[in-house]
Amino acid sequence: MNKIFLRILSIFWFWILIWALPTHPITATAAEKPFIFGLLLVGPYNDHGYSQAHYEGGQYVERKIAGAKMIYIDKVNPADRPGITIPQLVDDLMEKGARLVIANSDDMKDGIREAASMHPKIYFVHVSGDDVLTGKAPQNLMNLFGRMEYGKMMAGFVAALTTKTGKIGYLGPLINEETRRLASSAYLGARHAWENVLHKDPADLKFQVTWIGFWFNIPGVTTDPTQVAHNFYNNGYDVVISGIDTTEAIGVAQQKRLEGKDAWVVPYDYIGACEGASEVCLGVPYFNWGPGYVDCIQAVISGDWKSEWVWRGPDWQDINRPDTSTIGFVTGAALPASAKQSLNAFIKELGAGKTNLLKGPLFYQDGSIFLKDGEIASDQQIWYMRQLLEGMQGASSAK
Amino acid sequence: MKPKLLLRYSKELILTLAVVFLFTTIILLVTGAPVLAVYYHIFKGSLGSWAKFGHVIKTWIPLTLCACGLLYTFRIGLWNIGVEGQVMMGAIFATAVLRFGVESHFSELYLFLSILAGIAGGAIWALIAGYLKTAGGVNEIFAGLGLNFVAQAIILWLIFGPWKRPGIASMSGTELFPKALWLPSTFLLRISPIGIFSAFAAIILTALMLRYTRIGLCLKAVGNNPKAAYLFGVKPQPYMLLAMIFAGGFSGVAGCLQVTDVYHRLLPAISSNYGYLALLVVMLGNFNVWISPAVAFFFACLNIGSVQLPMMLQLDSSLSGVIQGASVLAALGMQAWRMRIRSNEVGAFYE
């Protein structure tokens, strides 16, 4: 009996070995037709926030480019996928035939650069990164991002028009150049509305930034964004602008509204973020990744690929046009008609260049000069924002 | 080990696996997922190519190291839940050493030192729990659990504070180490020979220690009956501390490898839950030094292969966690069953 058992066991292991031994060459070379691209999402594909915006951008590519096919992996972060690294996932996408890989998070910067230098024949798009600017990018890696500072200015603008207490809370993710840039833009938009639409003293506007430590909540690791939002509303901040990838602030605002408090919220990232929260949502600045993705993939197909740093803005003709505008803003039902009118006028001024909020004199939080009087910020100055701006409260860097 | 015993263990293992598959299949059927496709993708995703096999090995190495360490503490009857924190401490100590080596030309030296530091880090953390147990009578489960949280907090503090990237406060971790401080790996599988070597060394050393040395015998004696051991002149306390040092040391190496071989930096999730997972591995492996690495391999396959689920089937990959949990429950059930048979046999003998 035992002999038979041993024999079965050895046959079993033998087959396992046979199965495991042959490597499977990449199959895409055989059939050139479908263009497979991989998408690495830092959060869940259906987070109603940052990652979902990317996921739907990928779906847009599938619709617009014949034969394009997306494969995606979501929750790509060490907390959700312990022991899995970016280069590993890229290997996997390649085995499935991906010829271009899009990494959607700042957190993937090092991993995607490593993968790009390992696979020179595959193309890589790192969203939100600056490896091309810093010269660290290999030839097959490019950077893509949207000029969300405009979206955030609009967010700040509606927040300032709405607040009754004059106190705006900004729910920040982690601290880096990007997040300082976006929080500061929201502040500039708020101050502009406060000063030029409401004609109030900017000194009376309170703008508090509280950072949680990552793009979304990781229990036990980051500060809990739900808690932070509660604190804002409990301390008289009646509008919260979300800067994180997920939607906690909306839920808290709805809860506060049920308790009979004044509470509004401006979520972030995803065009549909206001759905189901009409009583509290003032509007959402969102990314529309589709057109940017299409251009990257077309460049690979036509052979025009360049390792470049691309920063795409809104289409000022219509910032919500899905085929052209990378940055948009949809207003929420809680925004009064008068505020909506002011917002539209503000967007027009921005588009026409009549209003430029990133123009000197502007000072950093410690009083040092960000922009001299009359100086208009260059792309690099905006991108590499070293501190929060004067007038904002909250940490500019780690203590 | 006698072949007969090994055969019995493998039989039980296969029976356990059958129960696990049955249980998982039921869950899959309930959720409406395609059962065969799930198993197929997990299998192909873990052993379907050399590259994936390499990834599995990369997971297997730290898991096996932790499992080997836990064999010492289980042998003496200690539940070293603190193994997770010991991995973290190993990683912290290793990172601390490597930070000095960033500008240095002697990167090999610093890599070597980082392993020693990892051992020291893990061992110190384990010793604290061990000392609390032997001197203060604090249950090692509570002490270990508490120390896990402390280790996690220290990592967060370091990443947010003294070791932060310039101008950045992010949970993404510390600055990436230069390539010179990455553990060298073979071109083909991208596996580090040093990692492989340390895993096999740990298995063989543990096997020899537990089987052939006086220390191994004493650990077993204390584990089986501390009072009897004491009467025979074996003081439990020093051996408990020794077992903790071994457990912490091996886990510390695992933590060090997570930094030098896998992530090349320190990040909050540096331990990848391998400590907790290793507890399950050892339990499922019947506390046996030869079976545990095989179970670790199985778990590593699950870990790597389950990434395919969201990619190919739009399923949540936490299913692998369900399979792992089911495995351990099945194994514990198997043990209970075996005990019952044995007690029936003994009962029959006396009747």
Side-chain angles (χ1 to χ4, degrees):
Chain A
M1 156 69 193
N2 279 349
K3 260 189 188 164
I4 295 170
F5 188 79
L6 264 182
R7 207 165 290 164
I8 293 173
L9 199 68
S10 55
I11 290 173
F12 172 73
W13 283 114
F14 179 73
W15 275 112
I16 294 256
L17 259 181
I18 294 285
W19 192 271
L21 275 179
T23 39
H24 297 273
I26 298 159
T27 45
T29 43
E32 282 293 338
K33 254 189 182 169
F35 187 96
I36 301 177
F37 66 99
L39 184 56
L40 299 176
L41 303 169
V42 66
Y45 74 96
N46 55 357
D47 64 358
H48 246 63
Y50 188 70
S51 288
Q52 187 163 359
H54 282 274
Y55 177 72
E56 293 188 1
Q59 289 180 322
Y60 177 88
V61 173
E62 289 185 316
R63 286 198 301 276
K64 287 287 163 176
I65 299 180
K69 193 179 167 307
M70 161 171 70
I71 34 180
Y72 73 94
I73 314 176
D74 65 349
K75 298 201 262 181
V76 179
N77 65 78
D80 277 318
R81 298 205 185 282
I84 307 276
T85 61
I86 304 289
Q88 279 179 20
L89 295 176
V90 169
D91 282 351
D92 211 326
L93 293 171
M94 273 178 57
E95 275 179 27
K96 296 191 165 54
R99 290 167 60 193
L100 176 136
V101 173
I102 301 169
N104 91 332
S105 175
D106 153 71
D107 192 41
M108 303 169 186
K109 194 182 216 172
D110 306 315
I112 210 70
R113 191 193 309 136
E114 192 184 333
S117 47
M118 268 193 272
H119 307 294
K121 286 186 180 158
I122 306 286
Y123 297 93
F124 293 87
V125 179
H126 182 223
V127 172
S128 84
D130 61 352
D131 278 355
V132 175
L133 285 181
T134 55
K136 289 180 188 167
Q139 273 311 300
N140 55 335
L141 173 67
M142 70 168 280
N143 293 126
L144 172 71
F145 206 51
R147 293 180 183 271
M148 184 44 88
E149 54 276 21
Y150 292 117
K152 287 291 186 185
M153 285 172 192
M154 298 167 202
F157 187 89
V158 294
L161 288 186
T162 309
T163 176
K164 290 180 183 168
T165 57
K167 289 165 95 174
I168 299 171
Y170 190 93
L171 179 58
L174 47 88
I175 311 178
N176 67 9
E177 284 126 0
E178 174 190 338
T179 61
R180 282 194 289 264
R181 178 198 325 142
L182 296 182
S184 298
S185 304
Y187 171 70
L188 288 176
R191 199 178 69 177
H192 179 77
W194 193 257
E195 241 182 325
N196 297 310
V197 181
L198 300 174
H199 306 293
K200 290 185 183 173
D201 181 1
D204 295 337
L205 178 68
K206 214 165 174 204
F207 194 98
Q208 168 73 40
V209 183
T210 303
W211 310 100
I212 65 163
F214 199 65
W215 299 103
F216 44 79
N217 185 31
I218 306 174
V221 174
T222 62
T223 313
D224 182 0
T226 305
Q227 208 54 51
V228 174
H230 269 291
N231 282 343
F232 273 138
Y233 291 119
N234 291 343
N235 290 306
Y237 292 84
D238 54 355
V239 184
V240 171
I241 302 174
S242 173
I244 63 174
D245 284 5
T246 46
T247 56
E248 283 86 349
I250 298 177
V252 176
Q254 286 177 311
Q255 197 182 329
K256 291 290 161 193
R257 192 46 80 83
L258 283 178
E259 291 167 12
K261 274 193 170 175
D262 278 335
W264 292 276
V265 65
V266 186
Y268 178 39
D269 290 319
Y270 176 59
I271 188 169
C274 281
E275 280 163 21
S278 52
E279 75 277 24
V280 290
C281 194
L282 297 176
V284 56
Y286 65 91
F287 288 103
N288 174 33
W289 294 106
Y293 282 3
V294 165
D295 286 355
C296 296
I297 290 171
Q298 292 284 20
V300 172
I301 292 174
S302 64
D304 295 331
W305 169 273
K306 266 204 305 258
S307 168
E308 52 186 343
W309 176 76
V310 178
W311 204 8
R312 297 171 63 103
D315 175 358
W316 290 112
Q317 300 287 322
D318 176 1
I319 62 168
N320 292 316
R321 194 178 285 161
D323 290 334
T324 50
S325 190
T326 296
I327 300 298
F329 188 95
V330 284
T331 50
L335 190 70
S338 59
K340 208 168 171 177
Q341 264 181 355
S342 311
L343 174 69
N344 285 335
F346 175 58
I347 292 172
K348 240 183 211 154
E349 284 171 23
L350 281 177
K354 271 190 211 157
T355 300
N356 188 347
L357 299 185
L358 286 159
K359 187 178 167 188
L362 283 177
F363 299 92
Y364 280 133
Q365 226 178 12
D366 67 355
S368 61
I369 295 172
F370 168 47
L371 296 170
K372 283 180 286 225
D373 197 1
E375 184 185 3
I376 291 173
S378 67
D379 277 0
Q380 295 243 3
Q381 279 172 313
I382 302 172
W383 185 268
Y384 292 112
M385 196 160 277
R386 293 206 310 272
Q387 290 179 29
L388 296 178
L389 297 178
E390 196 179 55
M392 304 169 73
Q393 277 150 339
S396 271
S397 66
K399 276 162 208 154
Chain B
M1 194 182 354
K2 287 174 198 140
K4 212 174 168 185
L5 205 61
L6 190 68
L7 196 70
R8 205 190 79 202
Y9 282 153
S10 354
K11 251 194 236 172
E12 282 174 4
L13 187 68
I14 287 174
L15 211 61
T16 309
L17 289 180
V19 175
V20 169
F21 274 105
L22 191 74
F23 182 72
T24 317
T25 307
I26 292 172
I27 288 184
L28 287 175
L29 286 174
V30 168
T31 54
V35 178
L36 283 180
V38 166
Y39 291 134
Y40 174 78
H41 283 300
I42 289 182
F43 184 68
K44 286 297 256 190
S46 51
L47 297 171
S49 70
W50 280 114
K52 286 186 175 122
F53 181 69
H55 300 159
V56 169
I57 292 299
K58 238 180 184 170
T59 306
W60 176 78
I61 291 169
L63 209 50
T64 303
L65 281 166
C66 293
C68 283
L70 284 170
L71 284 168
Y72 292 90
T73 43
F74 272 125
R75 184 57 63 99
I76 201 167
L78 288 176
W79 281 77
N80 182 21
I81 301 276
V83 58
E84 188 76 18
Q86 289 148 26
V87 177
M88 293 185 210
M89 266 302 158
I92 292 174
F93 274 52
T95 309
V97 166
L98 290 176
R99 286 175 65 83
F100 287 109
V102 169
E103 303 279 314
S104 157
H105 294 292
F106 306 101
S107 48
E108 289 86 0
L109 174 72
Y110 279 97
L111 279 171
F112 176 70
L113 288 177
S114 77
I115 295 182
L116 295 185
I119 295 176
I124 288 172
W125 216 237
L127 259 181
I128 297 176
Y131 184 73
L132 285 172
K133 164 85 180 177
T134 52
V138 180
N139 190 311
E140 74 279 4
I141 296 179
F142 298 125
L145 213 50
L147 286 167
N148 290 352
F149 283 109
V150 175
Q152 180 75 73
I154 292 175
I155 289 189
L156 292 177
W157 170 69
L158 287 169
I159 289 175
F160 240 129
W163 292 353
K164 64 172 187 272
R165 297 184 186 208
I168 291 176
S170 163
M171 288 301 155
S172 292
T174 59
E175 194 79 66
L176 204 67
F177 285 119
K179 269 235 162 87
L181 289 177
W182 298 14
L183 220 52
S185 57
T186 54
F187 178 72
L188 243 183
L189 289 175
R190 278 187 249 132
I191 299 175
S192 141
I194 296 173
I196 287 280
F197 171 77
S198 41
F200 278 106
I203 297 171
I204 290 167
L205 183 70
T206 306
L208 293 178
M209 284 287 283
L210 292 181
R211 182 91 175 79
Y212 292 110
T213 64
R214 190 187 154 77
I215 293 176
L217 186 68
C218 291
L219 290 179
K220 196 173 178 181
V222 176
N224 282 348
N225 191 338
K227 280 178 191 152
Y230 186 78
L231 290 179
F232 278 102
V234 180
K235 281 189 187 158
Q237 278 82 358
Y239 283 101
M240 284 184 178
L241 291 180
L242 196 64
M244 288 304 270
I245 289 177
F246 272 105
F250 282 126
S251 322
V253 176
C256 170
L257 292 177
Q258 285 288 95
V259 173
T260 52
D261 190 31
V262 181
Y263 288 112
H264 312 302
R265 59 189 158 130
L266 184 68
L267 69 169
I270 192 73
S271 63
S272 300
N273 293 338
Y274 288 155
Y276 292 129
L277 210 52
L279 284 164
L280 303 190
V281 164
V282 176
M283 279 190 263
L284 188 54
N286 208 6
F287 310 99
N288 179 294
V289 68
W290 301 111
I291 299 179
S292 294
V295 177
F297 187 76
F298 174 63
F299 275 26
C301 288
L302 277 179
N303 208 30
I304 298 297
S306 64
V307 178
Q308 303 298 315
L309 299 181
M311 217 183 324
M312 304 306 291
L313 302 168
Q314 277 76 48
L315 282 177
D316 202 284
S317 56
S318 52
L319 185 72
S320 69
V322 173
I323 299 179
Q324 282 160 354
S327 314
V328 175
L329 288 178
L332 292 176
M334 194 65 65
Q335 270 174 23
W337 180 62
R338 194 172 59 220
M339 298 288 259
R340 226 179 114 171
I341 288 182
R342 204 171 291 167
S343 69
N344 282 350
E345 279 169 1
V346 173
F349 179 77
Y350 280 113
E351 267 167 20

